[in-house]
């Protein structure tokens, strides 16, 4: 990947993961604060997970700035973005009582029709949910591109050849 493109993708991914962290911290902290004031902070574990995952995103950004290998940071970001996206699908439905698992595609109590229609209608019904999923999906794509770029280039920035040679030519044939 060209250095300018790589830098632009890194900045874009950084901005998107920071927006993701801010959204989850905002949602999680507001609701968690209500539970804390009521004396039941762990009634809804999703709010605690929102706050902790936001801190994890910020820690990942800090570790990247501190000099941790980029491929580790990108892989951690990919895992977090997948967790956010899949977490909504499996935990973002209408929960009843203290249940944690509530698939967002569950059509019980809905006249939406198929599960995919229910997912779509839940997604577009809340602007914050829609924006967070768009940001997370875009960040996931950028982080995957960055991870691929890190894994397919050596330390000098040259693309590695299939046989593991960075130069791609036979050293004995150079003039």
């Amino acid at each position: 990947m060209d250095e300018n493109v790589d830098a632009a993708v890194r900045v874009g991914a950084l901005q998107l993961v920071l927006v993701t962290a801010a959204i989850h911290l905002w949602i999680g902290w507001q609701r968690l604060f209500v539970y804390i004031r009521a004396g039941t902070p762990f009634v809804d574990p999703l709010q605690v997970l929102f706050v902790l995952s936001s801190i994890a995103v910020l820690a990942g950004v800090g570790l990247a700035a501190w000099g941790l290998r980029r491929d580790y940071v990108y892989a951690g970001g990919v895992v977090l973005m997948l967790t956010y996206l899949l977490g909504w699908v499996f935990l973002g439905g209408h929960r009843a009582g203290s249940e944690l698992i509530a698939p967002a595609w569950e059509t019980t109590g809905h006249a939406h029709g198929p599960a995919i229609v229910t997912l779509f209608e839940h997604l577009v019904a809340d602007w914050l949910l829609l924006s967070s999923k768009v940001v997370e999906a875009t960040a996931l794509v950028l982080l995957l591109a960055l991870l691929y770029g890190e894994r397919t280039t050596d330390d000098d920035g040259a693309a590695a050849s299939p046989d593991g040679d960075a130069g791609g030519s036979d050293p004995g044939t150079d003039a």
Side-chain angles (χ1 to χ4, degrees), residues 10-58:
R10 277 193 313 230
V11 169
L14 173 65
Q15 291 172 343
L16 291 171
V17 298
L18 289 177
V19 167
T20 299
I23 289 171
H24 284 86
L25 188 60
W26 182 38
I27 293 169
W29 182 251
Q30 284 181 336
R31 294 177 184 167
L32 182 61
F33 188 71
V34 170
Y35 290 125
I36 290 172
R37 289 185 59 202
T40 56
F42 300 111
V43 168
D44 186 2
L46 290 181
Q47 307 321 313
V48 174
L49 292 174
F50 276 12
V51 172
L52 291 177
S53 67
S54 297
I55 293 169
V57 169
L58 298 176

Side-chain angles (χ1 to χ4, degrees), residues 3-154:
E3 288 181 33
N4 292 334
V5 172
D6 184 54
V9 172
R10 277 193 313 230
V11 169
L14 173 65
Q15 291 172 343
L16 291 171
V17 298
L18 289 177
V19 167
T20 299
I23 289 171
H24 284 86
L25 188 60
W26 182 38
I27 293 169
W29 182 251
Q30 284 181 336
R31 294 177 184 167
L32 182 61
F33 188 71
V34 170
Y35 290 125
I36 290 172
R37 289 185 59 202
T40 56
F42 300 111
V43 168
D44 186 2
L46 290 181
Q47 307 321 313
V48 174
L49 292 174
F50 276 12
V51 172
L52 291 177
S53 67
S54 297
I55 293 169
V57 169
L58 298 176
V61 170
L63 288 172
W66 192 34
L68 185 67
R69 283 184 46 181
R70 287 183 185 165
D71 56 342
Y72 292 165
V73 174
Y74 299 151
V78 166
V79 168
L80 270 171
M81 294 306 120
L82 281 173
T83 301
Y84 284 140
L85 291 165
L86 294 175
W88 170 69
V89 170
F90 290 105
L91 305 175
H94 300 290
R95 293 180 288 150
S98 62
E99 69 182 9
L100 180 61
I101 305 288
W105 68 82
E106 182 63 46
T107 59
T108 305
H110 293 279
H112 301 317
I116 193 74
V117 173
T118 302
L119 272 175
F120 180 75
E121 287 183 358
H122 284 184
L123 188 61
V124 297
D126 181 8
W127 70 269
L128 190 57
L129 176 65
L130 177 62
S131 61
S132 72
K133 297 309 152 202
V134 168
V135 167
E136 292 158 11
T138 308
L140 176 64
V141 169
L142 293 182
L143 288 168
L144 284 170
L146 289 167
L147 180 60
Y148 178 78
E150 281 294 314
R151 293 291 175 117
T152 58
T153 58
D154 65 0

